[in-house]
Amino acid sequence: MADQIPLYPVRSAAAAAAASQRRAAYYSAAGPGPGADRRGRYQLEDESAHLDEMPLMMSEEGFENDESDYHTLPRARLTRRKRGLEWFVCGGWKFLCTSCCDWLINVCQRKKELKARTVWLGCPEKCEEKHPRNSIKNQKYNVFTFIPGVLYEQFKFFLNLYFLVVSCSQFVPALKIGYLYTYWAPLGFVLAVTIAREAIDEFRRFQRDKEMNSQLYSKLTVRVSIYTCIGLYKVAMVCSMSLLNFPLKRIKSLGKVQVKSSDIQVGDLIIVEKNQRIPSDMVFLRTSEKAGSCFIRTDQLDGETDWKLKVAVSCTQRLPALGDLFSISAYVYAQKPQLDIHSFEGTFTREDSDPPIHESLSIENTLWASTIVASGTVIGVVIYTGKETRSVMNTSNPKNKVGLLDLELNQLTKALFLALVVLSVVMVTLQGFAGPWYRNLFRFLLLFSYIIPISLRVNLDMGKAAYGWMIMKDENIPGTVVRTSTIPEELGRLVYLLTDKTGTLTQNEMVFKRLHLGTVSYGTDTMDEIQSHVFNSYLQVHSQASGHNPSSAPLRRSQSSTPKVKKSVSSRIHEAVKAIALCHNVTPVYEARAGVTGETEFAEADQDFSDENRTYQASSPDEVALVRWTESVGLTLVSRDLASMQLKTPSGQVLTYCILQMFPFTSESKRMGIIVRDESTAEITFYMKGADVAMSTIVQYNDWLEEECGNMAREGLRTLVVAKRTLTEEQYQDFESRYSQAKLSIHDRTLKVAAVVESLEREMELLCLTGVEDQLQADVRPTLEMLRNAGIKIWMLTGDKLETATCIAKSSHLVSRTQDIHIFRPVTNRGEAHLELNAFRRKHDCALVISGDSLEVCLRYYEHELVELACQCPAVVCCRCSPTQKAHIVTLLRQHTRKRTCAIGDGGNDVSMIQAADCGIGIEGKEGKQASLAADFSITQFRHIGRLLMVHGRNSYKRSAALGQFVMHRGLIISTMQAVFSSVFYFASVPLYQGFLMVGYATIYTMFPVFSLVLDQDVKPEMAILYPELYKDLTKGRSLSFKTFLIWVLISIYQGGILMYGALVLFEAEFVHVVAISFTALILTELLMVALTIRTWHWLMVVAEFLSLGCYVASLAFLNEYFGIGRVSFGAFLDVAFITTVTFLWKVSAITVVSCLPLYVLKYLKRKLSPPSYSKLSS
């Protein structure tokens, strides 16, 4: 029905009415269930304005498309490309090559289709298909693909490919211009450095993988002793069925074998100890815990540090001994491997019983790889290994990241190549195409090849290494590690920051902060009052119970029939604390005492309920915080199993409560409940706690709940409303019979069960409102404020619940207090998504909160519209996101906005997101090092990201932009001089400078001053942090653009022309010394231009300037044979006496001044008339 909802523009009132009727019919057809509410939910909005009927488009085009076109319209608009020759030249050739390579790879490596499987317990050889090895592999290359792969990554850039072609051309005698080493030495150096760096990184990845794959685990095996009439022959083996079928007497004995993680196979029975990583996806068969359940930590899988309760298969848990796992004939049927970490469908079947036992398996019976066992010892059967495990399927392959600056420089080198070709053609044309003109054309291409300098790659790579070293040596951000040294400039170009919540923004440590009873509120400083009230109330109850215990039940019934009287504060506190201590899913665990070894039973027998020995386990840290608080005020949870729990009062008395029913928390109900019976009084009470939106309609009328919930939310506290209802025995028996009947129904079981529970949720007594704070990381608020002022939009992607995510967004000031929040309502189909997006479209300047399920639906139908609307929001919060969804959101942002994205996280579930972003930052935290190892940059605290971006990111980008443009200027100026020289000599393709001069020009003569630009800074670090608005300019890319590039081209042409023509005009008499004259002026000009570019001087810059000048003066004396015109064989040598004359010195100085002085004057005028933003601060 939803797909029939029209998505066309409304052109008349009649059409609007018809659309309204169709929607009304759709929602009324939903019946009395959730659909009925949904109609009411949208009705007010639909009647308020005709805007809802407008299509979800950002422009007026295409409004008349029919529905089938509308499906494809967003993508069609996005994917308009150039066609024909223009498309091929502008990147189509690359697309075609990539497509062909991908097709060849797919042909060579066809992926095996994933299928459901039957896994026999302890018998890997019974598997029908071959399954992948259980090995972890994060390497990019292998032994055979390393060299080809690295070379491809280098030569896919135009700059490197161009120099490879130029260097190879020197093997052709007719095209040879200079010495081979002048071309091959720089190229070889670049390749050697790159290969060495990649080899080191690859070896480190190999070592990390080897460490993980070599972890040892215990595998259960069976040893079979075979007896024959001749004698005894023992054969130890692992379930060899061919031998077991012999008609001989066999005795089976259980054994354990240590196996490496990489050697585990599907069907193996693996034992995992407490605090050990689960090596592969398994079905949970047995545990040492008496309750038949255990807790696991899933922080490396879904990012939540809450412990998850897992339940063993009841059939195998009931077996008397561990060895019986081999004596039964049983198998697990498991669905095909898939991405979803929150669901699983399978069955457990035991064939050798009469009748066969069938048990359904769900997510609570699974143990996924990369999770940690938190309690007891578990035994599981392996169902998925290697790349078929949930954790690996949710991890994307690492890719080589290329910075935006490198891509921009790649485009500029293409422009330079075009200029090179044009200049060469002009030279050949002016020659009149005389002789073998095509050979002359190639020679000119080689002569002017320095327009595109190979030293650009060398300087930039060395600069990146220097930036990385500076980041790691910064004492203000200790522990920061640069793992990808090729993209430090990306830190200065970020527009979107996508952050995890748990462990990144928060410490994931819950602290109880507030208890509100309606008329009185207690904070952290008044908890001692609660403690005294609890102590006094239990003292009175204890004395009354010891005085007349037998008549307590009749007394209670008589009290319930009397009119209600206002309770005292003490009794209300007592009821509230007791409700909080009982309404939860927390289990206290006691560690074995020192010196006690052996099975769990001995440890349990020796435990003494001591406070130091007790830890709490729960699937939510909120619940642990509440139970710890009740312990601090005197009511302690001392034990719990599936049927009962015990509380210890301040006086030391232990109260026992029988657990009759449990109603766990779900994201739909937003509440949890429990029915308990007090063993001492036989009183049955139904306790419930949940979010205020769910509980406000359940509790009795009150005038304070909504207001106080708002107050606590503004403080950043997570609120829970606690209520109770006392049940008589008859009421409970009636409920239990209806509840059991509903659970056995085949059709609409969930709805029927919910309806029965809702019959209890009426007129409940409101006990209290609790406020719990998830403590933020240090300086999170000022850091987020700084990033916002820098123009960075922050999105929070978390696997946590919607209420929790919203609360943290407020408390961290990700969403400011004055900002509205639009919570995107749950949608399940296209029609609902359309209506909800229209409702969201009318909101302005509000933060968006959306769940993963709704996001998936919207992206399926309205990808472009949703992303465009979300990008206009000041902040976005995506909750209940899977690891794959996080990576998908990052990819969508990159594709739709073309802006640079950064992802930051601290858990294994953040790895895909970190790898998908242009720049990934990992935090070393409680959730391990998996994220920090996979990231490009690793930090120890979230607050360090401020300095990392504002100072190091900014400096890296501005320095690399200046360095890159200056190196190109250095190549352009010498190519301009070559062009002038060739023009004077009748367009002859003769090199102006020979051999070592060309190599020396790019190295010892100018390298140190030019490279010293990596030490330059426009403002001090303190100023960059104080004024984050300076960062906004960087995202516009003004430091390196076609405009700045053209300015440098004009400077190069001007200076090259002045230097060459000046040398020819002033030295007509000494024409033979034109090389020495022009080259000396060139070196002096370059050194002065470096000084002109520098904004803040460093002592190393001064050293570099004088060192380079000294090297040049020394070479004039020792390398005089290179300073003559043409070849050395012509006999033109440098006259040392000539360069010491005053005439030489003043004329060289005059040429240099003419080439540089106008630029200094222009720079001064520009700073006075139109100063840049940073200069206003530095002055």
Side-chain angles (χ1 to χ4, degrees):
M1 291 288 283
D3 290 330
Q4 296 170 10
I5 294 180
L7 295 175
Y8 317 117
V10 178
R11 299 299 179 192
S12 66
S20 249
Q21 287 172 3
R22 281 196 290 274
R23 269 204 316 283
Y26 163 68
Y27 285 120
S28 60
D37 296 335
R38 205 175 285 117
R39 185 198 168 207
R41 190 172 79 199
Y42 290 103
Q43 195 171 18
L44 290 173
E45 295 173 0
D46 293 340
E47 290 173 1
S48 64
H50 290 299
L51 278 172
D52 293 339
E53 294 295 332
M54 292 293 285
L56 287 165
M57 298 190 186
M58 302 300 118
S59 62
E60 295 295 323
E61 62 188 63
F63 272 14
E64 300 299 333
N65 287 287
D66 62 30
E67 188 171 348
S68 61
D69 291 340
Y70 194 84
H71 257 296
T72 57
L73 189 62
R75 289 176 179 80
R77 282 207 309 275
L78 276 177
T79 54
R80 285 178 185 161
R81 294 190 180 94
K82 303 177 182 72
R83 287 286 173 248
L85 182 63
E86 186 186 3
W87 171 81
F88 185 82
V89 172
C90 294
W93 62 274
K94 187 186 289 185
F95 173 76
L96 290 174
C97 293
T98 308
S99 301
C100 292
C101 292
D102 289 343
W103 178 78
L104 284 171
I105 291 168
N106 288 333
V107 167
C108 299
Q109 299 178 339
R110 289 197 182 276
K111 286 190 175 180
K112 189 181 70 173
E113 186 184 353
L114 301 175
K115 296 179 181 177
R117 60 196 61 186
T118 300
V119 180
W120 290 83
L121 268 59
C123 301
E125 68 280 353
K126 279 194 173 184
C127 291
E128 297 168 358
E129 290 191 9
K130 188 177 179 182
H131 299 295
R133 285 189 73 226
N134 191 48
S135 58
I136 294 170
K137 187 179 180 186
N138 291 311
Q139 292 165 253
K140 294 180 186 176
Y141 312 103
N142 57 35
V143 177
F144 302 105
T145 61
F146 177 72
I147 295 296
V150 173
L151 291 178
Y152 168 75
E153 288 297 330
Q154 287 301 304
F155 291 122
K156 73 179 181 182
F157 287 106
F158 179 80
L159 179 68
N160 294 346
L161 182 63
Y162 166 76
F163 262 93
L164 178 67
V165 173
V166 168
S167 301
C168 291
S169 70
Q170 293 304 289
F171 289 111
V172 180
L175 301 177
K176 190 172 180 182
I177 294 293
Y179 299 106
L180 280 177
Y181 68 82
T182 60
Y183 293 92
W184 281 102
L187 187 64
F189 177 74
V190 171
L191 292 178
V193 170
T194 305
I195 291 172
R197 188 178 61 208
E198 280 293 329
I200 292 168
D201 290 346
E202 194 70 1
F203 182 69
R204 285 174 181 166
R205 281 191 284 268
F206 167 75
Q207 284 184 314
R208 288 200 297 267
D209 291 346
K210 187 178 178 182
E211 184 183 345
M212 295 291 284
N213 292 327
S214 300
Q215 289 180 354
L216 295 176
Y217 291 87
S218 297
K219 180 172 82 170
L220 280 180
T221 63
V222 62
R223 298 177 184 276
V224 183
S225 300
I226 304 175
Y227 291 84
T228 66
C229 55
I230 301 170
L232 173 65
Y233 297 90
K234 278 191 177 181
V235 181
M237 60 178 191
V238 182
C239 267
S240 177
M241 296 309 295
S242 58
L243 192 53
L244 288 174
N245 290 330
F246 274 107
L248 302 170
K249 185 177 179 182
R250 301 182 298 276
I251 297 177
K252 294 181 182 179
S253 61
L254 193 67
K256 292 181 184 177
V257 176
Q258 292 289 308
V259 292
K260 290 181 180 179
S261 173
S262 56
D263 294 333
I264 291 173
Q265 297 176 296
V266 171
D268 282 344
L269 296 177
I270 302 297
I271 300 172
V272 187
E273 305 289 346
K274 183 179 178 181
N275 293 325
Q276 198 173 14
R277 182 183 71 91
I278 295 171
S280 57
D281 288 356
M282 304 195 295
V283 166
F284 186 13
L285 299 179
R286 281 177 72 88
T287 176
S288 59
E289 301 286 299
K290 280 187 174 180
S293 60
C294 78
F295 282 96
I296 63 166
R297 297 200 298 270
T298 60
D299 46 30
Q300 292 297 324
L301 188 65
D302 59 13
E304 296 184 33
T305 51
D306 315 344
W307 290 5
K308 306 293 188 299
L309 185 70
K310 297 292 180 178
V311 181
V313 176
S314 58
C315 177
T316 50
Q317 180 66 25
R318 288 196 303 264
L319 293 174
L322 195 57
D324 293 335
L325 286 172
F326 286 102
S327 62
I328 63 171
S329 176
Y331 63 85
V332 170
Y333 176 79
Q335 64 182 157
K336 68 178 184 180
Q338 59 183 27
L339 286 168
D340 192 358
I341 59 176
H342 299 297
S343 69
F344 174 74
E345 292 177 6
T347 55
F348 175 87
T349 305
R350 182 177 176 182
E351 286 189 328
D352 57 352
S353 61
D354 193 18
I357 297 172
H358 298 281
E359 195 173 330
S360 66
L361 302 177
S362 65
I363 187 66
E364 66 178 8
N365 305 116
T366 58
L367 303 169
W368 294 145
S370 297
T371 58
I372 309 291
V373 177
S375 65
T377 301
V378 303
I379 296 99
V381 59
V382 177
I383 53 172
Y384 307 124
T385 53
K387 59 187 178 184
E388 292 180 347
T389 59
R390 293 291 203 270
S391 60
V392 174
M393 291 182 79
N394 274 283
T395 304
S396 56
N397 292 324
K399 60 184 179 66
N400 287 311
K401 294 185 180 181
V402 180
L404 183 60
L405 185 95
D406 291 316
L407 296 175
E408 289 169 345
L409 286 170
N410 200 45
Q411 294 297 324
L412 294 180
T413 53
K414 291 177 184 176
L416 288 173
F417 177 72
L418 191 63
L420 166 66
V421 172
V422 170
L423 184 59
S424 302
V425 170
V426 168
M427 285 293 181
V428 172
T429 305
L430 293 172
Q431 269 187 339
F433 293 98
W437 63 267
Y438 53 87
R439 193 177 71 183
N440 289 336
L441 176 65
F442 273 105
R443 285 180 63 84
F444 275 120
L445 285 171
L446 295 171
L447 270 179
F448 300 136
S449 65
Y450 280 92
I451 285 181
I452 306 173
I454 184 66
S455 56
L456 176 63
R457 186 85 260 147
V458 180
N459 278 280
L460 284 176
D461 284 350
M462 289 169 64
K464 291 172 195 284
Y467 307 144
W469 183 83
M470 291 175 194
I471 291 171
M472 289 192 282
K473 291 296 178 182
D474 191 341
E475 294 177 356
N476 294 295
I477 47 173
T480 303
V481 180
V482 178
R483 300 191 190 279
T484 305
S485 58
T486 55
I487 56 168
E489 301 91 359
E490 290 296 274
L491 294 170
R493 308 289 296 277
L494 302 177
V495 178
Y496 290 95
L497 177 72
L498 300 102
T499 173
D500 179 37
K501 177 190 74 69
T502 311
T504 303
L505 296 178
T506 69
Q507 299 177 28
N508 208 43
E509 291 179 2
M510 306 298 169
V511 180
F512 191 93
K513 288 285 186 181
R514 187 72 54 84
L515 179 72
H516 206 292
L517 301 175
T519 55
V520 61
S521 174
Y522 294 94
T524 49
D525 52 342
T526 52
M527 290 301 173
D528 53 339
E529 292 182 33
I530 297 177
Q531 194 170 0
S532 62
H533 282 303
V534 171
F535 183 80
N536 293 331
S537 61
Y538 273 107
L539 205 61
Q540 292 172 10
V541 169
H542 183 59
S543 61
Q544 288 174 7
S546 60
H548 44 274
N549 193 27
S551 60
S552 61
L555 179 68
R556 189 187 68 255
R557 278 194 289 272
S558 66
Q559 283 177 344
S560 63
S561 60
T562 59
K564 287 183 181 178
V565 292
K566 191 170 182 180
K567 293 182 179 177
S568 67
V569 173
S570 184
S571 65
R572 286 162 63 198
I573 289 175
H574 170 238
E575 285 293 336
V577 173
K578 185 169 77 170
I580 295 169
L582 288 171
C583 187
H584 54 72
N585 196 18
V586 180
T587 306
V589 174
Y590 296 87
E591 299 294 332
R593 281 176 163 234
V596 176
T597 56
E599 296 299 321
T600 312
E601 294 82 47
F602 298 111
E604 287 176 359
D606 196 63
Q607 65 197 23
D608 59 353
F609 295 157
S610 64
D611 293 342
E612 308 81 40
N613 214 27
R614 186 189 313 111
T615 56
Y616 293 113
Q617 295 176 354
S619 59
S620 168
D622 299 62
E623 296 207 312
V624 174
L626 292 170
V627 172
R628 279 189 181 141
W629 175 77
T630 62
E631 179 185 355
S632 70
V633 296
L635 196 58
T636 307
L637 176 68
V638 290
S639 76
R640 178 183 182 141
D641 55 34
L642 296 174
S644 67
M645 71 173 86
Q646 291 181 319
L647 301 179
K648 187 171 72 174
T649 65
S651 59
Q653 182 189 6
V654 175
L655 305 175
T656 304
Y657 294 87
C658 180
I659 301 173
L660 301 177
Q661 298 289 346
M662 271 287 298
F663 312 112
F665 180 93
T666 63
S667 55
E668 290 78 27
S669 68
K670 296 183 175 61
R671 56 190 181 270
M672 67 89 60
I674 187 171
I675 300 177
V676 296
R677 178 189 280 120
D678 189 339
E679 292 289 336
S680 60
T681 62
E683 182 180 15
I684 299 174
T685 313
F686 173 39
Y687 290 106
M688 177 161 279
K689 71 177 179 192
D692 56 304
V693 289
M695 297 291 290
S696 56
T697 57
I698 293 170
V699 297
Q700 295 168 348
Y701 172 77
N702 62 86
D703 57 358
W704 59 272
L705 181 62
E706 185 178 354
E707 182 184 351
E708 290 304 327
C709 282
N711 291 339
M712 287 193 189
R714 278 187 285 276
E715 292 178 39
L717 301 180
R718 301 158 72 144
T719 56
L720 282 174
V721 180
V722 185
K724 79 162 188 174
R725 181 181 174 186
T726 304
L727 303 176
T728 63
E729 189 68 39
E730 296 77 22
Q731 285 175 324
Y732 175 69
Q733 292 301 333
D734 174 56
F735 165 78
E736 189 182 32
S737 63
R738 289 185 292 118
Y739 188 63
S740 301
Q741 190 175 356
K743 285 203 293 186
L744 291 172
S745 61
I746 298 171
H747 302 292
D748 299 326
R749 180 187 298 177
T750 308
L751 288 173
K752 289 178 180 176
V753 168
V756 174
V757 176
E758 282 175 16
S759 67
L760 280 184
E761 299 171 347
R762 289 174 185 166
E763 290 298 305
M764 297 188 72
E765 181 187 347
L766 175 58
L767 296 176
C768 65
L769 176 66
T770 64
V772 175
E773 181 185 46
D774 185 357
Q775 292 192 318
L776 296 171
Q777 296 264 8
D779 295 331
V780 160
R781 291 188 184 107
T783 302
L784 290 178
E785 185 73 24
M786 182 198 298
L787 296 174
R788 256 204 311 273
N789 291 338
I792 297 173
K793 291 187 177 181
I794 303 161
W795 289 31
M796 186 167 81
L797 313 181
T798 175
D800 221 330
K801 298 183 283 290
L802 186 141
E803 292 80 13
T804 310
T806 309
C807 195
I808 293 300
K810 289 177 180 175
S811 64
S812 65
H813 295 176
L814 176 68
V815 177
S816 64
R817 295 187 179 187
T818 56
Q819 241 165 28
D820 289 333
I821 295 180
H822 179 84
I823 296 178
F824 204 92
R825 296 185 177 102
V827 296
T828 55
N829 55 50
R830 186 180 177 194
E832 291 178 9
H834 173 74
L835 292 172
E836 189 58 34
L837 277 169
N838 269 339
F840 174 47
R841 191 161 57 96
R842 297 203 309 273
K843 302 285 182 74
H844 296 288
D845 193 39
C846 70
L848 172 66
V849 179
I850 187 169
S851 67
D853 295 336
S854 301
L855 185 72
E856 198 70 35
V857 175
C858 291
L859 291 179
R860 192 179 307 143
Y861 301 113
Y862 304 115
E863 180 182 290
H864 176 67
E865 283 77 8
L866 178 67
V867 175
E868 193 158 337
L869 284 169
C871 288
Q872 294 169 9
C873 295
V876 177
V877 177
C878 299
C879 53
R880 307 303 288 175
C881 281
S882 68
T884 313
Q885 273 182 323
K886 288 183 178 184
H888 185 48
I889 292 167
V890 174
T891 307
L892 277 176
L893 265 181
R894 290 179 60 202
Q895 290 174 348
H896 281 263
T897 64
R898 304 292 179 188
K899 304 288 186 186
R900 307 316 276 175
T901 59
C902 173
I904 178 169
D906 69 322
N909 65 311
D910 302 315
V911 169
S912 296
M913 170 176 77
I914 284 169
Q915 291 178 340
D918 296 300
C919 175
I921 301 175
I923 298 180
E924 289 186 17
K926 293 180 180 177
E927 298 186 17
K929 292 188 176 183
Q930 197 169 347
S932 69
L933 290 172
D936 305 307
F937 303 90
S938 171
I939 57 179
T940 54
Q941 295 181 51
F942 181 81
R943 62 187 176 135
H944 291 168
I945 196 175
R947 187 175 179 86
L948 189 66
L949 302 189
M950 300 302 118
V951 177
H952 294 289
R954 188 171 188 279
N955 286 342
S956 297
Y957 169 58
K958 291 187 82 75
R959 288 165 176 172
S960 282
L963 181 64
Q965 290 178 125
F966 203 93
V967 171
M968 285 190 284
H969 156 75
R970 194 172 62 184
L972 278 165
I973 193 172
I974 201 169
S975 297
T976 304
M977 293 175 73
Q978 175 68 56
V980 173
F981 177 78
S982 295
S983 303
V984 170
F985 283 92
Y986 307 101
F987 308 104
S989 55
V990 177
L992 171 60
Y993 302 123
Q994 293 291 330
F996 187 79
L997 288 188
M998 293 303 291
V999 177
Y1001 172 66
T1003 53
I1004 62 167
Y1005 297 154
T1006 60
M1007 183 179 73
F1008 300 118
V1010 171
F1011 187 70
S1012 69
L1013 289 172
V1014 301
L1015 300 170
D1016 190 22
Q1017 60 180 29
D1018 51 3
V1019 293
K1020 292 180 179 178
E1022 297 77 19
M1023 203 65 76
I1025 292 172
L1026 190 61
Y1027 296 97
E1029 292 79 8
L1030 289 170
Y1031 190 89
K1032 282 183 185 177
D1033 294 339
L1034 307 185
T1035 58
K1036 298 169 185 173
R1038 289 175 179 168
S1039 296
L1040 178 67
S1041 62
F1042 271 102
K1043 179 184 173 183
T1044 59
F1045 170 68
L1046 286 173
I1047 290 171
W1048 277 105
V1049 169
L1050 292 174
I1051 290 171
S1052 304
I1053 292 171
Y1054 166 74
Q1055 289 185 325
I1058 290 293
L1059 290 172
M1060 201 65 229
Y1061 277 115
L1064 294 171
V1065 169
L1066 292 179
F1067 290 90
E1068 285 184 15
E1070 302 90 1
F1071 195 72
V1072 72
H1073 298 307
V1074 74
V1075 171
I1077 296 160
S1078 61
F1079 198 78
T1080 304
L1082 173 63
I1083 297 299
L1084 291 174
T1085 299
E1086 284 297 300
L1087 296 180
L1088 287 172
M1089 284 301 293
V1090 171
L1092 175 68
T1093 309
I1094 290 171
R1095 287 160 293 203
T1096 306
W1097 282 89
H1098 189 280
W1099 66 270
L1100 282 173
M1101 296 175 173
V1102 179
V1103 171
E1105 290 270 336
F1106 283 106
L1107 179 65
S1108 296
L1109 188 59
C1111 288
Y1112 178 68
V1113 172
S1115 66
L1116 282 173
F1118 294 106
L1119 300 170
N1120 59 354
E1121 70 271 17
Y1122 288 105
F1123 288 91
I1125 296 175
R1127 301 284 178 185
V1128 176
S1129 57
F1130 291 174
F1133 290 94
L1134 178 67
D1135 185 2
V1136 179
F1138 165 71
I1139 63 171
T1140 57
T1141 61
V1142 176
T1143 307
F1144 171 83
L1145 294 175
W1146 82 257
K1147 288 187 175 181
V1148 167
S1149 301
I1151 295 170
T1152 308
V1153 168
V1154 172
S1155 70
C1156 293
L1157 187 61
L1159 301 177
Y1160 272 85
V1161 172
L1162 287 172
K1163 181 183 178 182
Y1164 176 78
L1165 291 173
K1166 185 183 177 185
R1167 283 184 69 94
K1168 284 293 180 185
L1169 300 174
S1170 176
S1173 54
Y1174 65 82
S1175 66
K1176 298 171 188 174
L1177 297 174
S1178 56
S1179 61

